[in-house]
Amino acid sequence: TFQRQLQQSDCQNVLMKKVFDTHMLFLQINQSAAALKHVFAALRLFVGKFPSAFFQGQADLCGSLCYEILKCCNHRSRSTQTEASALLYFFMRKNFEFNKQKSIVRSHLQLIKAVSQLIADAGIGGSRFQHSLAIINNFANGDKQMKNVNFPAEVKDLTKRIRTVLMATAQMKEHEKDPEMLVDLQYSLANSYASTPELRRTWLESMAKIHARNGDLSEAAMCYIHIAALIAEYLKRKGKINISKTNCISNKS
């Protein structure tokens, strides 16, 4: 009935936010497994009808949905885990199709952010969550329509990176009182996101804070130089600034 109003401004409008928030309430309030099954079906329909709301413009709705679905991937009910995994796979596939089968950059970024947040909020990462990641990989491997494109590989890379974040976070907790080991783990995690500047910047900033707290100011400065290089490279690619490459800003610095 309100499809035209919801599609205004590429789905970036107040009414869309209200409808989306209503959908999210069903995930945020405890529901039975039977009720959640219908909620997931409604969300699949919602994402299918209004992909622009999630994959264009601001990333707020995409991030919120990823967070709530991932919570359900850690649900105690196996049927809910499966339904949530299926919805998440559908969401990533819609992202891939929306980007003309080029990438799932937005869902990848928002899912990693959501995982990082959920580690602190809900303590995910156990066998239930690992089971959901395996289900998602199985969906990707068995999707015949996606067989000849790079989507299955992107899904596999995403789940691998999620596991990397989970393992690295667990190791960081073990070495909280060993600053050198803690920074080394964060450096490895930052390097694993060389192709995702926003996430790499997040971990580099965290490293800089640890160095500054320990009085290692030159090391902290080096982290900020790397961050400046990432920003400069991004602006150059976007045509916002015109700079030439120098030896001062390089991956070896």
Side-chain angles (χ1 to χ4, degrees):
T1 303
F2 298 97
Q3 187 164 339
R4 183 174 297 177
Q5 293 94 315
L6 288 167
Q7 289 177 331
Q8 288 179 355
S9 303
D10 290 325
C11 297
Q12 309 294 314
N13 57 71
V14 175
L15 182 59
M16 172 60 74
K17 183 67 167 62
K18 289 181 178 179
V19 174
F20 174 77
D21 288 343
T22 303
H23 278 84
M24 290 299 95
L25 275 175
F26 286 104
L27 293 179
Q28 292 162 354
I29 299 173
N30 287 334
Q31 308 283 352
S32 67
L36 281 173
K37 185 175 182 179
H38 294 289
V39 174
F40 293 136
L43 283 169
R44 282 195 296 271
L45 182 64
F46 187 61
V47 172
K49 278 184 172 291
F50 306 106
S52 297
F54 303 96
F55 309 127
Q56 192 166 297
Q58 296 295 319
D60 296 352
L61 302 191
C62 181
S64 297
L65 182 58
C66 288
Y67 181 88
E68 296 300 336
I69 298 175
L70 283 174
K71 269 205 311 186
C72 292
C73 287
N74 203 44
H75 199 276
R76 61 182 177 274
S77 166
R78 275 296 173 97
S79 63
T80 298
Q81 289 177 36
T82 302
E83 290 284 345
S85 300
L87 175 59
L88 193 54
Y89 178 77
F90 173 82
F91 187 72
M92 290 188 288
R93 180 171 170 172
K94 278 295 176 184
N95 188 183
F96 188 71
E97 292 171 350
F98 187 83
N99 287 343
K100 299 178 181 179
Q101 298 192 343
K102 292 180 180 178
S103 70
I104 55 170
V105 172
R106 171 162 290 193
S107 55
H108 183 127
L109 180 61
Q110 295 305 317
L111 282 166
I112 294 295
K113 283 187 172 182
V115 167
S116 301
Q117 186 179 352
L118 279 166
I119 288 170
D121 295 348
I124 64 169
S127 59
R128 290 185 299 201
F129 192 74
Q130 295 290 349
H131 176 70
S132 293
L133 293 179
I135 292 173
I136 293 169
N137 272 327
N138 289 337
F139 279 132
N141 293 331
D143 194 337
K144 294 181 180 179
Q145 293 182 344
M146 294 285 122
K147 188 176 181 179
N148 296 320
V149 293
N150 67 334
F151 178 66
E154 292 214 20
V155 172
K156 185 177 180 179
D157 177 63
L158 174 57
T159 55
K160 181 180 178 181
R161 288 178 182 273
I162 289 175
R163 288 191 176 97
T164 299
V165 171
L166 294 173
M167 288 192 301
T169 304
Q171 289 177 321
M172 286 177 196
K173 288 182 179 179
E174 292 178 6
H175 298 284
E176 284 178 330
K177 297 181 180 180
D178 186 345
E180 291 185 359
M181 179 62 76
L182 183 59
V183 168
D184 189 54
L185 289 169
Q186 289 193 324
Y187 179 70
S188 297
L189 195 56
N191 282 343
S192 73
Y193 284 99
S195 61
T196 314
E198 187 172 346
L199 288 174
R200 192 179 187 195
R201 175 186 172 181
T202 299
W203 290 107
L204 286 169
E205 286 176 339
S206 180
M207 286 171 59
K209 290 177 183 177
I210 294 173
H211 281 310
R213 190 165 63 239
N214 295 330
D216 301 324
L217 300 184
S218 60
E219 286 82 356
M222 188 61 69
C223 290
Y224 286 121
I225 289 173
H226 273 284
I227 293 169
L230 288 171
I231 295 171
E233 185 177 5
Y234 174 81
L235 292 173
K236 182 181 179 183
R237 289 179 178 178
K238 288 289 184 179
K240 302 292 184 181
I241 58 174
N242 184 18
I243 58 174
S244 59
K245 290 183 178 180
T246 68
N247 292 329
C248 293
I249 300 178
S250 71
N251 290 330
K252 295 181 180 179
S253 61

